[in-house]
Amino acid sequence: MALTEDVKQAIQQAYRDVLAGKGVRARYGQRLMIAEIARYMGDITANDGERTSPPAACVVEAGTGTGKTLAYLIAAIPVARALGKKLVISTATVALQDQIVHKDLPDLRKHSNLDFSWTLAKGRGRYLCLSRLEGRLQDEGAGDSESMPLFILDEPRDEEPGTREFFEDMLGRYGSQEWDGDRDHWPSQIPDDIWRQVTTDHRQCTNRHCAYFDSCAFFDARKGLEDADVIVANHDLVLADLALGGGAILPEPENALFIFDEAHHLPDKALNHFAASVPLNSTRQWLKQLSQALSKIPPFLTPGTIAAKTVDKISACARELDGVLDQVYDEAEQNTDWEFSDERRSAQWRYPEGELPEALAELAGAAQLATAALVRQLGVLVDELQKAFDDKRENDVDRPTAEAWFPVMGSFHARAEDQLRLWVAWSEKRLPEEGEGRKQWGPPPARWAVRQRWDHAEDITLFSSPVLADNLLYTRLWSRVYGAILTSATLTALGRFDRLQSRAGLPDASRFLVVPSSFRYADMATIEVPGMAALPTDSEAFTEALVKRLPDLWASDKATLVLFTARRQMNAVRDRLAPDYPDLILTQDDMAKGEVLRQHCERIDAGRPSVLFGVASFAEGIDLPGRYLDHVVITRLPFSVPDDPIDASLAEWVTSRGGNPFMEIAVPDASIKLVQAVGRLLRTEQDTGRVTILDRRIVSRRYGQLLLDSLPPFRRIIER
């Protein structure tokens, strides 16, 4: 659709209104970004609302200070409304999601004449389930209730003191509307094992048949989804929807414009979403829990009914699967070259080129058949229980029984389906992939096993994952979506978009833009590479060198962030230095992330120095503007862990095709992480400071110059 004059005017006027309303000046990079996104959407051709132009995405790298969010909102909202399409904005983090919903969208509507509505979309698992919460409180108070054995859904664990009080507080806050049931809005972090007890998924939820439907946090949050012009989601929810075919939770890709902010996370999120695993001994324990549940349900079912007969079939399937898993465990344990070290209680084995030994492949096929049979019979029982919610017809199962057992069997069904994904992935044969009119051989899936030992038990977990998300994203998203915009501060690697394009499977017709920064890098900061007594390749000597060098580096600065690539080294350096520098060093593991940052800022506000120690998540996910950060120390170049099975499988594939995986994968990926780490320093145009890199490989190795040149043009101070 060529942009009409009305749409162009709406975009331009909205931008002028926002600038005037907020009293800020136009930014060159922001104007470029608005124009590029508008041109891209204007070039999409369609017939009767269906895209006819080739698949294409608009990719914009825009650094801190550009005003990315305002740029894409102003460009996309008028176009989406003119097209009659939904606008879906997807982020990687809850923090950005909340910022868009509670700050950026309200600001835009307040200061412009754009008329639009918006809502937030999160997965069911982010919300409180009142039915589960009630069941949990009943279990706490009533002991072995005959009505609802919800306890069997949870792994055995030691209950912490005060758990009942915590759940009662949760119920009280929700009832008084002090809390909206959103896990992310609870005042403190809720541990995963606690949260699992009071949330649900689509397999356990009875939807409109639930007694709490009218006060359900999830459905209350979803009420505005169909009517909203703008839907703010996250990458995980988008991928979950695509896995269900698209349009199950969010709008169908064909009827929506998607904006992926923090888009550099999308390929890895896709890999995680389509990965699968099965812990063998834990699964056998889970089968015992299933048998316990099946032994309790017959008194509630009429003999001879489909439901009653299916219970017997499920029991038989569970016994069959248990026997197969026992054989798989023995085969993996006895015929794998496990290597345990004195310090580690786990060992990993990756199957080269994804090829399984013949005996294991045969057993994987048997496990697939047995698991598929279990999934099928559990599905029959779940369907029979669900029929009882229909009051308009006679059913073999009464409603109270269905209300008690549907969530339990739904949970077992969901877990069995997850296990089936692993066995399918371990059994499927490699076929050429379809890619934009051509057949091509992509890398084989990564398949590996991890054996873990504890004091009184051990387990072997089997894993499978795609190595690249390119084909998944192309077939499920890019080839279908009406339009897609990807943006982030770090989308290029070594100054090029090639790595992103290959990892994300972006269409050939996509367009790419790097928006120039408004920062005067050479005037605002320096990048320094001092002499060091050791290289990171000698771990012990390098740790010793860090202990000697770091105090001199932070001595002249108030606020320092020291970034490590490994927790072990971070903790070792901290343990050596902390006694000599009490109340100075905070590590990211000392407490919750928000509390660490709060204490750091408190120290700075009080005029005291503060040094933060962190690893990867602090290299990207923190924002400390102004005087809260004036020195970033990067201890070593952020290369990926060499034993990562997915990276190793990709490197193996690249090598088999005559490529150089270090230069094609490791160095470009390290450059992205390095740019992200350096990006912690300057958050506003008024910030100043310095970056120190203690890994001399950046000046002594051939690839080092590539990494150095990929960084912003700071003034360089290099000790030769």
Side-chain angles (χ1 to χ4, degrees), residues 102-290:
H102 300 300
K103 180 179 180 294
D104 297 327
L105 287 167
D107 265 6
L108 178 58
R109 191 163 68 178
K110 176 182 177 182
H111 295 297
S112 74
N113 288 323
L114 295 179
D115 180 25
F116 63 93
S117 58
W118 68 88
T119 191
L120 176 65
K122 292 184 182 181
R124 202 181 311 250
R126 304 305 297 179
Y127 291 97
L128 172 73
C129 170
L130 280 171
S131 178
R132 292 291 311 274
L133 177 58
E134 181 199 45
R136 196 69 192 87
L137 285 169
Q138 282 182 356
D139 288 344
E140 286 274 343
D144 55 345
S145 166
E146 291 185 1
S147 61
M148 178 61 182
L150 273 177
F151 61 87
I152 63 178
L153 294 180
D154 305 316
E155 297 293 328
R157 62 188 179 280
D158 294 324
E159 296 257 331
E160 295 181 3
T163 298
R164 178 177 176 81
E165 286 74 19
F166 176 81
F167 289 141
E168 288 175 340
D169 182 38
M170 186 177 274
L171 182 61
R173 292 189 189 214
Y174 186 73
S176 65
Q177 298 185 336
E178 183 182 344
W179 176 52
D180 62 0
D182 185 331
R183 179 182 183 179
D184 300 314
H185 296 162
W186 187 257
S188 60
Q189 195 169 6
I190 304 175
D192 289 345
D193 61 329
I194 300 296
W195 182 253
R196 275 196 296 269
Q197 300 171 46
V198 293
T199 191
T200 190
D201 58 32
H202 73 285
R203 284 296 186 194
Q204 301 176 65
C205 179
T206 57
N207 294 299
R208 297 182 181 277
H209 304 300
C210 177
Y212 296 104
F213 179 78
D214 290 336
S215 53
C216 176
F218 171 69
F219 283 104
D220 190 50
R222 296 290 295 277
K223 284 176 183 174
L225 207 58
E226 291 184 9
D227 299 326
D229 301 306
V230 180
I231 299 167
V232 182
N234 58 54
H235 299 347
D236 289 320
L237 186 62
V238 171
L239 291 165
D241 187 55
L242 294 175
L244 294 171
I249 307 168
L250 299 169
E252 293 180 344
E254 293 82 356
N255 294 318
L257 292 167
F258 278 77
I259 296 175
F260 293 96
D261 204 336
E262 303 175 313
H264 60 282
H265 286 291
L266 191 60
D268 285 337
K269 290 277 189 182
L271 287 182
N272 290 338
H273 194 83
F274 292 101
S277 64
V278 168
L280 296 174
N281 279 342
S282 294
T283 300
R284 296 186 69 195
Q285 287 298 118
W286 171 81
L287 287 171
K288 289 180 181 178
Q289 294 179 344
L290 173 59

Side-chain angles (χ1 to χ4, degrees), residues 286-298:
W286 171 81
L287 287 171
K288 289 180 181 178
Q289 294 179 344
L290 173 59
S291 296
Q292 291 171 10
L294 294 173
S295 70
K296 293 177 183 291
I297 195 173

Side-chain angles (χ1 to χ4, degrees), residues 369-392:
L369 292 174
T371 306
L374 179 64
V375 168
R376 188 163 53 250
Q377 296 304 329
L378 281 168
V380 171
L381 181 57
V382 166
D383 288 344
E384 288 300 303
L385 292 168
Q386 193 167 29
K387 289 176 183 177
F389 295 118
D390 186 352
D391 297 327
K392 297 179 180 178

